[in-house]
């Protein structure tokens, strides 16, 4: 049953956003239905959930409680039940599908391999879309459904650079598509490093080309963060005190910049983390003009109320281009702290265990750390809307198996021993045949 739900989730991620129905004010897409089933499965198997529970589970439940209180405080009970239900489906549903299904290194490998294969297959459509300036997959979906879900601005010259249209493929925005590609880049790269087969190399090339054709800073920033995190993973065990000192030194530097710079630390960071100066400027304005809303609604946030800004900024719309900024704006400081704690606990718990793993599983744990850490960091410049938010929580739950490293090490050693025995047996037979 759980394997079927996992397969359905993967399929639903690649269904164009034009395929949806409205139930009242709720937009129902296939991935939400699948995650709803996953959440029901988790509730019916609560004993299994509790057996695997750790600090991340506790923090996630507290987060959902804070979100409910935020909606209740801002919009009343009916809206709180409806909106928190959707939030729980996209967060707890995705998290527990991963936590309950991905219980072995083999399943973690299979999930990543499946996503990589599908993303690589889409490279052909990405190339066509980018160079012909024709969003063919979305146009086909619009004709089939009659729904026009893609932002009309994505068809304009604003998304064409040097004659290349920023690719969206099946997804809602080039940033989301690029971030999804970057999410699985460490895994396919390590596959090439370990095995070096033509199959894996072609997938790596396909995913890399598709990332470049989104013409987005998000995936390239993710690759930069992944490079730094890979160094951290490599030298964490032998130089832990150095990395901790480096972190607190960086934190002190950030506080000094925040105190004495007129733009502040995040203003400077965001301005340099975007390739388009206009985009960087708009994001600085978002941080600047949401600050008063955050201060005035520090505990419960503003939920779905609009954030205040000058009349001349109305043309920008009400979107926020930062996952973490939007979280504290909508649901308050405690929601931000809870989720950041859950994420960093999961990352550093895996980081402290990675050196214990046998080589057959160590590289997969390393790939997850590198991938998820970059997802945390680029969340300051990208909002994970649509299908990317449940994938964020799915990846958060996808590493629970790593804590049982003694069992996987024994399994790996038995496989190696069995392989050696087979090879020795074959060698002995060859020797005996030679003697006869």
């Amino acid at each position: 049953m759980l394997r079927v739900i996992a397969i359905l989730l993967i399929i639903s991620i690649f269904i164009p956003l034009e395929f949806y129905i409205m139930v009242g004010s709720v937009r129902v897409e296939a991935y939400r239905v699948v995650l709803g089933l996953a959440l029901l499965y988790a509730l019916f198997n609560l004993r299994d959930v509790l057996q695997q529970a750790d600090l991340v589970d506790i923090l996630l439940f507290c987060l959902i409680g804070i979100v409910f209180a935020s909606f209740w405080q801002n919009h009343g009970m009916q809206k709180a039940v409806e909106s928190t239900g959707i939030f729980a489906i996209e967060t707890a549903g995705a998290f527990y599908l991963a936590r309950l299904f991905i219980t072995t290194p083999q399943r973690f490998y299979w999930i990543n391999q499946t996503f990589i294969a599908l993303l690589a297959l889409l490279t052909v459509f990405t190339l066509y879309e980018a160079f012909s300036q024709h969003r063919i997959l979305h146009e086909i979906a619009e004709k089939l459904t009659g729904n026009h879900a893609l932002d009309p601005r994505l068809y304009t010259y604003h998304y064409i650079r040097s004659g290349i249209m920023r690719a969206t493929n099946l997804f809602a925005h080039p940033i989301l598509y690029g971030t999804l590609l970057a999410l699985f880049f460490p895994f396919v790269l390590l596959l090439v490093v370990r095995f070096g087969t033509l199959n894996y190399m072609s997938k790596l090339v396909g995913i890399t080309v598709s990332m470049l054709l989104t013409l987005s800073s998000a995936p390239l920033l993710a690759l930069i963060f992944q490079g730094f995190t890979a160094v951290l993973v490599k030298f964490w065990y032998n130089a832990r005190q150095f990395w901790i000192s480096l972190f607190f030194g960086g934190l002190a530097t950030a506080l000094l910049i925040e105190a004495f710079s007129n733009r502040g630390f995040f203003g400077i960071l965001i301005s340099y983390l975007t390739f388009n100066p206009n985009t960087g400027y708009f994001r600085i304005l978002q941080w600047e003009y949401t600050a008063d809303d955050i201060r005035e609604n520090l505990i419960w946030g503003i939920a779905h109320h609009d954030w205040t800004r000058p009349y001349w900024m109305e043309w920008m719309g009400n979107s926020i281009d930062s996952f973490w900024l939007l979280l504290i704006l909508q649901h308050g400081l405690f929601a931000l702290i809870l989720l950041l704690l859950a994420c960093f606990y999961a990352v550093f718990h895996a980081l402290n265990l990675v050196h214990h793993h046998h080589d057959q599983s160590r590289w997969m744990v390393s790939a997850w750390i590198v991938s998820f850490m970059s997802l945390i960091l680029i969340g300051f410049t990208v909002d994970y809307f649509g299908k990317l938010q449940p994938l964020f929580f799915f990846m958060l739950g996808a590493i629970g198996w790593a804590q049982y490293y003694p069992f996987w090490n024994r399994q790996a050693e038995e496989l190696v021993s069995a392989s050696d025995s087979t090879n020795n047996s074959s060698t002995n037979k060859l020797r005996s045949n030679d003697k006869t």
Side-chain angles (χ1 to χ4, degrees), residues 3 27 33 96 152 181 188 214 235 248 260 265 279 314 346 387 429:
R3 187 179 185 85
R27 179 187 173 115
V33 175
Y96 283 111
L181 290 161
V188 69
T214 63
F235 298 105
F248 282 107
F260 295 105
F265 173 73
T279 303
E314 292 298 325
K387 296 170 182 175
K429 285 182 180 179

Side-chain angles (χ1 to χ4, degrees), residues 178-179 182 208 211-227 273 275 374 378:
T179 304
T208 303
M211 273 196 295
L212 292 173
L213 291 178
T214 63
L215 301 179
S216 172
S217 61
L220 297 183
L221 287 171
L223 296 188
I224 293 170
F225 289 139
Q226 286 170 5
L273 290 185
F275 295 152
S374 70
I378 65 170

Side-chain angles (χ1 to χ4, degrees), residues 43-94:
L43 292 173
F44 283 120
N45 293 271
L46 195 57
R47 181 178 295 178
D48 294 338
V49 170
L50 295 175
Q51 284 177 349
Q52 298 184 45
D54 59 13
L55 182 60
V56 177
D57 298 70
I58 296 169
L59 293 170
L60 187 59
F61 274 110
C62 291
L63 172 65
I64 293 172
I66 290 288
V67 168
F68 176 79
S70 170
F71 281 123
W72 190 6
Q73 176 72 18
N74 283 281
H75 302 291
M77 178 59 74
Q78 182 178 348
K79 178 71 173 178
V81 172
E82 178 184 296
S83 297
T84 308
I86 295 171
F87 183 82
I89 286 171
E90 292 196 354
T91 56

Side-chain angles (χ1 to χ4, degrees), residues 120-178:
L121 287 172
L122 291 175
T123 305
V124 176
F125 295 101
T126 301
L127 288 165
Y128 174 81
E129 178 184 353
F131 291 105
S132 69
Q133 300 178 13
H134 179 203
R135 302 200 187 280
I136 184 172
L137 296 177
H138 286 290
E139 290 188 12
I140 292 172
E142 286 174 2
K143 288 177 182 178
L144 290 173
T145 63
N147 295 326
H148 298 273
L150 200 66
D151 188 335
R153 291 174 296 180
L154 290 168
Y155 291 99
T156 67
Y157 69 93
H158 294 291
Y159 285 83
I160 298 174
R161 297 175 184 172
S162 302
I164 300 174
M165 177 173 273
R166 297 180 62 189
T168 60
N169 210 291
L170 294 166
F171 303 94
H173 197 278
I175 291 176
L176 297 188
Y177 181 37

Side-chain angles (χ1 to χ4, degrees), residues 253-272:
T253 303
L255 291 173
L256 285 172
I257 294 172
E258 185 69 30
F260 295 105
S261 171
N262 60 340
R263 287 193 293 170
F265 173 73
F266 284 107
I268 293 172
L269 184 69
I270 292 163
S271 64
Y272 287 107

Side-chain angles (χ1 to χ4, degrees), residues 4 17 28 51 82 113 199 227 229 241 250 253 266 292 305 311 314 320 328 354 358 376 380 384 391 393 419-420:
V4 172
L17 72 160
V28 179
Q51 284 177 349
E82 178 184 296
Q113 273 278 45
N199 177 34
T229 308
Q241 290 182 341
T253 303
F266 284 107
D292 58 336
H305 290 304
Y311 70 92
E314 292 298 325
I320 296 292
I328 189 174
V354 68
H358 190 278
I376 296 170
F380 286 101
Y384 299 145
L391 274 176
F393 286 92
S419 177
D420 290 342

